[in-house]
Amino acid sequence: MNDDVNKVTLSRGSMPNAGYGIEINNIRFDQNGQALITSTLRDPQPDEAYADVMTEAKAVTYVSSKYNVVAEPDAVPSPAPSKTASSEAIKNLVESAKKGKAPGVAYAVHVNTIDDVQKD
C-alpha cells in the first residue's frame, strides 16, 4: 500500500460458489515484531443453495510495515450460518414468549396479568 502500511490478503483461491469464505478473527501483535492473524475458513451449508459462480474467497486487512505477518487459520472450517437454524431459533423464542418465558434470561416476562408472570 505504502512504505508504512501493508495490505494483507488471506485467500482460499477460486471457489465454485459464494458459500466458501474466510474471516479474520483477530490480529495480535507480539514482542517479536510479528502480526499474528487468526482466521476462520467458512464452507457452504449442505442445506443451502448458492449461485454456481466462481468466487475468490478472501479477506483483506492492513498492517503496519514494521510487523512480519503470520497467518494462523483455525484447524476446522466453520459452516456458513444456516438460515434454517436461525428461523428455528426465532420460532422457539416466539413460542416461549407466548408462554411468558424468556429462555436464558434471568428475569420474568409479563404477558397478561401480573399473576401470569413466569420465569424460565
Side-chain angles (χ1 to χ4, degrees), residues 10 23-29 35-40 61 70 72:
L10 302 180
E23 298 172 11
I24 295 173
N25 301 327
N26 187 32
I27 303 174
R28 195 174 68 245
F29 300 94
L36 304 162
I37 301 177
T38 305
S39 62
T40 301
T61 190
V70 177
E72 297 180 326

Side-chain angles (χ1 to χ4, degrees), residues 3-103:
D3 291 341
D4 297 325
V5 179
N6 289 327
K7 179 179 180 181
V8 178
T9 303
L10 302 180
S11 176
R12 295 182 73 179
S14 293
M15 295 297 192
N17 64 55
Y20 293 91
I22 184 167
E23 298 172 11
I24 295 173
N25 301 327
N26 187 32
I27 303 174
R28 195 174 68 245
F29 300 94
D30 72 12
Q31 296 174 347
N32 299 323
Q34 292 186 325
L36 304 162
I37 301 177
T38 305
S39 62
T40 301
L41 303 178
R42 189 182 71 238
D43 287 342
Q45 282 286 331
D47 61 341
E48 296 292 325
Y50 300 95
D52 288 332
V53 59
M54 292 303 292
T55 305
E56 183 181 358
K58 66 180 178 178
V60 176
T61 190
Y62 298 88
V63 176
S64 169
S65 58
K66 296 177 185 177
Y67 292 93
N68 180 35
V69 176
V70 177
E72 297 180 326
D74 286 345
V76 179
S78 68
S82 169
K83 292 178 187 174
T84 306
S86 298
S87 297
E88 193 64 33
I90 291 169
K91 286 178 189 175
N92 291 338
L93 184 59
V94 169
E95 288 305 312
S96 292
K98 286 178 184 177
K99 296 174 185 172
K101 297 182 179 184

